[in-house]
Amino acid sequence: MAVSAFRVTQLPLLPQSQLPVARAARFTKTMIGGRNLKGFVISAQYSQSQDLFTSRLQSRIENLPKLVEDIVQTSINTGPRGALRLVQGVQAFLGVGGEWLNDLSKSTRVSGALPTEMQLGLLSPLYLRKLFERMGATYIKLGQFIASAPTLFPPEYVEEFQNCFDKAPPVPFEEIRKILQEELGRPIESVYEYVDPAPLASASIAQVHGARLRGSQEDVVIKVLKPGIEDFLVADLNFIYVVARIFEFLSPEFSRTSLVGIVKDIRESMLEEVDFNKEAKNIESFKRYLETMGLSGQATAPRLYKHCSSRVLTMERLYGVPLTDLDSISALVSSPENSLITALNVWFGSLLSCESFHADVHAGNLWRLRDGRIGFLDFGIVGRISPKTWAAMEVFLASIATEEYESMASALIQMGATNIDVDAKAFARDLEKMFSSIQELDTEIIVATGSGRTAVAANVAVDERQMNALFLDLVRVSESYGLKFPREFALLMKQLLYFDRYTRLLAPNMNMLQDQRISVVSNRRTNRYKDSFN
């Protein structure tokens, strides 16, 4: 009876066939004698753990040659530039480390205890963000990727990296002149009648100069990659890739989180942003969409001048004001609301009818032009949405407008990746509780003043952290049900938050998702997919 009972309860834990023969015979004899059952179970569990360890060790040994090959090949591709970046990294680490020690000293003098936010040292969100900013272009872009991917990173890091600003001192114009001459293959005076030495903008990867074309006298802007930026990107991204590969090799937990896959996604996103040929294709694709849909009279993107574009971009200079410049827009049009409606319809239409959508519609990239059209600028960051995600997104947006939380839950379940059954009704109840917080968001318009004139600009003071917190809440609630969303969902939601802020500024009484003048979704498609979810 003792042997029979054991077989029933223990065989699922450790099949007899997995026990060494001698050990099995010894323990069977002990069991028949009715003694030491507990000791046997412990030994069996230990044997199972040992087998698991052996299996993992064997898997790692098998994968070791591939890891070494990857590291060697990556090191060869990186070359001597890796050593330079290492020195720069040490300098950045020491600089931020000094800040941390100084802040630590001040905090302990005041409170006598180590504040929670400082206990992680340079791995805390604040100091890691500062370190990324000191490390330059790659890490600034990595920080912005973290800020835009709440489905992949902890919320406290997502929130902190919203403050990862892409600002950098300009490169001296003489260096820019050399780059232009090398890329154009001829003196810049033969192409441009004039190039403004003072940049219009300077970010970590590129800077932009105003210019005038020789002959046509057209005003243009020239976007130029900063010198050495591609070498930095290659060295940094290769280093990040190697670290990810080592982490996955050492810990299976990192394999389950697809760490290397995330790094590849980051790499692809960053390299696309410095590939001006791809940016040029993105612009042309958007302009084709406008022309095909008969929207060229309502919106535009800069015209490209191909004869003087290669690894630099020469584009039409658009004149206008950002959508957040309420004073200037009000002086240009009687109803700023109409400008917003046009921008919304053009952008929403691009989700369905364009090869990619503009995935960075902050105020600097969305203007109301002097001729009344909406100008979309800077196509370095675009998104491409899969049919499955868009189908679910349509239902999700329609459900927000109508407050149908069960449809919203079904759409999110359809969009998210999960290997468990989700309680849709409970999920819907939690979503309803969360979305009630939208009503608590307050909007305050702050009018800025400048020397020589007043009311030159206005900004929405809805706390950006509040808006991001709302999105993070959505992610947290969804993840509690085992859902993981694709990054394209985060990109879409980020743009919707931008448009929500513009709505609160330019049309505070308008509901962006319910107003009949705005074509958010196709009713025909929404109904079809809603039926498939129910």
PDB file of all heavy atoms in Angstrom, residues 11-28:
ATOM      1  N   LEU A  11       4.969  10.158  -8.840  1.00  0.00           N
ATOM      2  CA  LEU A  11       5.396   9.964 -10.225  1.00  0.00           C
ATOM      3  C   LEU A  11       5.293  11.223 -11.074  1.00  0.00           C
ATOM      4  O   LEU A  11       6.179  11.479 -11.887  1.00  0.00           O
ATOM      5  CB  LEU A  11       4.614   8.819 -10.860  1.00  0.00           C
ATOM      6  CG  LEU A  11       5.198   7.420 -10.573  1.00  0.00           C
ATOM      7  CD1 LEU A  11       4.300   6.356 -11.175  1.00  0.00           C
ATOM      8  CD2 LEU A  11       6.615   7.286 -11.096  1.00  0.00           C
ATOM      9  N   PRO A  12       4.262  12.060 -10.912  1.00  0.00           N
ATOM     10  CA  PRO A  12       4.232  13.296 -11.711  1.00  0.00           C
ATOM     11  C   PRO A  12       5.414  14.206 -11.424  1.00  0.00           C
ATOM     12  O   PRO A  12       5.840  14.960 -12.270  1.00  0.00           O
ATOM     13  CB  PRO A  12       2.907  13.947 -11.291  1.00  0.00           C
ATOM     14  CG  PRO A  12       2.063  12.811 -10.814  1.00  0.00           C
ATOM     15  CD  PRO A  12       3.034  11.883 -10.147  1.00  0.00           C
ATOM     16  N   LEU A  13       5.934  14.146 -10.178  1.00  0.00           N
ATOM     17  CA  LEU A  13       7.070  15.007  -9.827  1.00  0.00           C
ATOM     18  C   LEU A  13       8.348  14.514 -10.464  1.00  0.00           C
ATOM     19  O   LEU A  13       9.120  15.256 -11.038  1.00  0.00           O
ATOM     20  CB  LEU A  13       7.220  15.052  -8.290  1.00  0.00           C
ATOM     21  CG  LEU A  13       8.471  15.775  -7.763  1.00  0.00           C
ATOM     22  CD1 LEU A  13       8.351  17.264  -8.082  1.00  0.00           C
ATOM     23  CD2 LEU A  13       8.618  15.555  -6.255  1.00  0.00           C
ATOM     24  N   LEU A  14       8.590  13.193 -10.370  1.00  0.00           N
ATOM     25  CA  LEU A  14       9.839  12.644 -10.885  1.00  0.00           C
ATOM     26  C   LEU A  14       9.594  11.221 -11.382  1.00  0.00           C
ATOM     27  O   LEU A  14       9.503  10.302 -10.568  1.00  0.00           O
ATOM     28  CB  LEU A  14      10.905  12.639  -9.785  1.00  0.00           C
ATOM     29  CG  LEU A  14      12.316  12.248 -10.231  1.00  0.00           C
ATOM     30  CD1 LEU A  14      12.865  13.287 -11.194  1.00  0.00           C
ATOM     31  CD2 LEU A  14      13.236  12.115  -9.025  1.00  0.00           C
ATOM     32  N   PRO A  15       9.463  11.029 -12.676  1.00  0.00           N
ATOM     33  CA  PRO A  15       9.206   9.689 -13.194  1.00  0.00           C
ATOM     34  C   PRO A  15      10.287   8.710 -12.768  1.00  0.00           C
ATOM     35  O   PRO A  15      11.467   9.072 -12.691  1.00  0.00           O
ATOM     36  CB  PRO A  15       9.201   9.886 -14.722  1.00  0.00           C
ATOM     37  CG  PRO A  15       8.867  11.332 -14.894  1.00  0.00           C
ATOM     38  CD  PRO A  15       9.489  12.029 -13.726  1.00  0.00           C
ATOM     39  N   GLN A  16       9.877   7.463 -12.510  1.00  0.00           N
ATOM     40  CA  GLN A  16      10.827   6.440 -12.068  1.00  0.00           C
ATOM     41  C   GLN A  16      11.960   6.271 -13.059  1.00  0.00           C
ATOM     42  O   GLN A  16      13.100   6.028 -12.679  1.00  0.00           O
ATOM     43  CB  GLN A  16      10.076   5.111 -11.893  1.00  0.00           C
ATOM     44  CG  GLN A  16      10.940   3.981 -11.328  1.00  0.00           C
ATOM     45  CD  GLN A  16      11.134   4.112  -9.824  1.00  0.00           C
ATOM     46  OE1 GLN A  16      10.375   4.812  -9.171  1.00  0.00           O
ATOM     47  NE2 GLN A  16      12.155   3.450  -9.285  1.00  0.00           N
ATOM     48  N   SER A  17      11.639   6.465 -14.334  1.00  0.00           N
ATOM     49  CA  SER A  17      12.658   6.262 -15.367  1.00  0.00           C
ATOM     50  C   SER A  17      13.786   7.254 -15.282  1.00  0.00           C
ATOM     51  O   SER A  17      14.866   7.020 -15.806  1.00  0.00           O
ATOM     52  CB  SER A  17      12.019   6.333 -16.753  1.00  0.00           C
ATOM     53  OG  SER A  17      11.439   7.613 -16.940  1.00  0.00           O
ATOM     54  N   GLN A  18      13.560   8.385 -14.582  1.00  0.00           N
ATOM     55  CA  GLN A  18      14.612   9.402 -14.480  1.00  0.00           C
ATOM     56  C   GLN A  18      15.551   9.143 -13.307  1.00  0.00           C
ATOM     57  O   GLN A  18      16.549   9.821 -13.149  1.00  0.00           O
ATOM     58  CB  GLN A  18      13.985  10.796 -14.350  1.00  0.00           C
ATOM     59  CG  GLN A  18      13.319  11.256 -15.615  1.00  0.00           C
ATOM     60  CD  GLN A  18      12.862  12.695 -15.505  1.00  0.00           C
ATOM     61  OE1 GLN A  18      13.228  13.405 -14.585  1.00  0.00           O
ATOM     62  NE2 GLN A  18      12.053  13.120 -16.468  1.00  0.00           N
ATOM     63  N   LEU A  19      15.187   8.183 -12.399  1.00  0.00           N
ATOM     64  CA  LEU A  19      16.040   7.882 -11.257  1.00  0.00           C
ATOM     65  C   LEU A  19      17.129   6.892 -11.660  1.00  0.00           C
ATOM     66  O   LEU A  19      16.867   5.941 -12.385  1.00  0.00           O
ATOM     67  CB  LEU A  19      15.222   7.267 -10.124  1.00  0.00           C
ATOM     68  CG  LEU A  19      14.321   8.216  -9.334  1.00  0.00           C
ATOM     69  CD1 LEU A  19      13.402   7.398  -8.427  1.00  0.00           C
ATOM     70  CD2 LEU A  19      15.141   9.181  -8.507  1.00  0.00           C
ATOM     71  N   PRO A  20      18.369   7.071 -11.179  1.00  0.00           N
ATOM     72  CA  PRO A  20      19.378   6.038 -11.391  1.00  0.00           C
ATOM     73  C   PRO A  20      18.884   4.711 -10.809  1.00  0.00           C
ATOM     74  O   PRO A  20      18.226   4.687  -9.774  1.00  0.00           O
ATOM     75  CB  PRO A  20      20.603   6.578 -10.632  1.00  0.00           C
ATOM     76  CG  PRO A  20      20.368   8.061 -10.554  1.00  0.00           C
ATOM     77  CD  PRO A  20      18.885   8.224 -10.465  1.00  0.00           C
ATOM     78  N   VAL A  21      19.237   3.588 -11.448  1.00  0.00           N
ATOM     79  CA  VAL A  21      18.690   2.285 -11.055  1.00  0.00           C
ATOM     80  C   VAL A  21      19.030   1.954  -9.612  1.00  0.00           C
ATOM     81  O   VAL A  21      18.167   1.560  -8.823  1.00  0.00           O
ATOM     82  CB  VAL A  21      19.233   1.196 -12.000  1.00  0.00           C
ATOM     83  CG1 VAL A  21      18.783  -0.182 -11.524  1.00  0.00           C
ATOM     84  CG2 VAL A  21      18.741   1.452 -13.413  1.00  0.00           C
ATOM     85  N   ALA A  22      20.310   2.098  -9.226  1.00  0.00           N
ATOM     86  CA  ALA A  22      20.724   1.737  -7.867  1.00  0.00           C
ATOM     87  C   ALA A  22      19.980   2.574  -6.842  1.00  0.00           C
ATOM     88  O   ALA A  22      19.511   2.071  -5.819  1.00  0.00           O
ATOM     89  CB  ALA A  22      22.236   1.911  -7.707  1.00  0.00           C
ATOM     90  N   ARG A  23      19.862   3.887  -7.109  1.00  0.00           N
ATOM     91  CA  ARG A  23      19.188   4.784  -6.169  1.00  0.00           C
ATOM     92  C   ARG A  23      17.721   4.404  -6.056  1.00  0.00           C
ATOM     93  O   ARG A  23      17.131   4.398  -4.980  1.00  0.00           O
ATOM     94  CB  ARG A  23      19.318   6.235  -6.643  1.00  0.00           C
ATOM     95  CG  ARG A  23      18.749   7.229  -5.643  1.00  0.00           C
ATOM     96  CD  ARG A  23      18.783   8.634  -6.199  1.00  0.00           C
ATOM     97  NE  ARG A  23      20.156   9.068  -6.417  1.00  0.00           N
ATOM     98  CZ  ARG A  23      20.466  10.207  -7.035  1.00  0.00           C
ATOM     99  NH1 ARG A  23      19.513  10.981  -7.503  1.00  0.00           N
ATOM    100  NH2 ARG A  23      21.718  10.547  -7.196  1.00  0.00           N
ATOM    101  N   ALA A  24      17.079   4.073  -7.202  1.00  0.00           N
ATOM    102  CA  ALA A  24      15.674   3.694  -7.186  1.00  0.00           C
ATOM    103  C   ALA A  24      15.467   2.440  -6.342  1.00  0.00           C
ATOM    104  O   ALA A  24      14.528   2.357  -5.541  1.00  0.00           O
ATOM    105  CB  ALA A  24      15.172   3.466  -8.608  1.00  0.00           C
ATOM    106  N   ALA A  25      16.350   1.424  -6.509  1.00  0.00           N
ATOM    107  CA  ALA A  25      16.212   0.194  -5.751  1.00  0.00           C
ATOM    108  C   ALA A  25      16.375   0.450  -4.261  1.00  0.00           C
ATOM    109  O   ALA A  25      15.633  -0.066  -3.432  1.00  0.00           O
ATOM    110  CB  ALA A  25      17.238  -0.832  -6.246  1.00  0.00           C
ATOM    111  N   ARG A  26      17.374   1.278  -3.906  1.00  0.00           N
ATOM    112  CA  ARG A  26      17.635   1.567  -2.496  1.00  0.00           C
ATOM    113  C   ARG A  26      16.450   2.247  -1.838  1.00  0.00           C
ATOM    114  O   ARG A  26      16.011   1.883  -0.755  1.00  0.00           O
ATOM    115  CB  ARG A  26      18.890   2.428  -2.375  1.00  0.00           C
ATOM    116  CG  ARG A  26      19.278   2.692  -0.909  1.00  0.00           C
ATOM    117  CD  ARG A  26      20.659   3.358  -0.809  1.00  0.00           C
ATOM    118  NE  ARG A  26      20.690   4.704  -1.361  1.00  0.00           N
ATOM    119  CZ  ARG A  26      21.279   5.021  -2.499  1.00  0.00           C
ATOM    120  NH1 ARG A  26      21.874   4.084  -3.225  1.00  0.00           N
ATOM    121  NH2 ARG A  26      21.273   6.265  -2.947  1.00  0.00           N
ATOM    122  N   PHE A  27      15.881   3.263  -2.537  1.00  0.00           N
ATOM    123  CA  PHE A  27      14.766   3.996  -1.945  1.00  0.00           C
ATOM    124  C   PHE A  27      13.491   3.164  -1.915  1.00  0.00           C
ATOM    125  O   PHE A  27      12.666   3.309  -1.029  1.00  0.00           O
ATOM    126  CB  PHE A  27      14.529   5.298  -2.695  1.00  0.00           C
ATOM    127  CG  PHE A  27      15.544   6.352  -2.346  1.00  0.00           C
ATOM    128  CD1 PHE A  27      16.164   7.079  -3.345  1.00  0.00           C
ATOM    129  CD2 PHE A  27      15.888   6.576  -1.036  1.00  0.00           C
ATOM    130  CE1 PHE A  27      17.104   8.032  -3.026  1.00  0.00           C
ATOM    131  CE2 PHE A  27      16.822   7.544  -0.706  1.00  0.00           C
ATOM    132  CZ  PHE A  27      17.444   8.270  -1.711  1.00  0.00           C
ATOM    133  N   THR A  28      13.319   2.234  -2.924  1.00  0.00           N
ATOM    134  CA  THR A  28      12.145   1.368  -2.904  1.00  0.00           C
ATOM    135  C   THR A  28      12.193   0.451  -1.688  1.00  0.00           C
ATOM    136  O   THR A  28      11.191   0.250  -1.010  1.00  0.00           O
ATOM    137  CB  THR A  28      12.083   0.545  -4.194  1.00  0.00           C
ATOM    138  OG1 THR A  28      12.042   1.430  -5.298  1.00  0.00           O
ATOM    139  CG2 THR A  28      10.839  -0.345  -4.224  1.00  0.00           C
TER     140      THR A  28
END
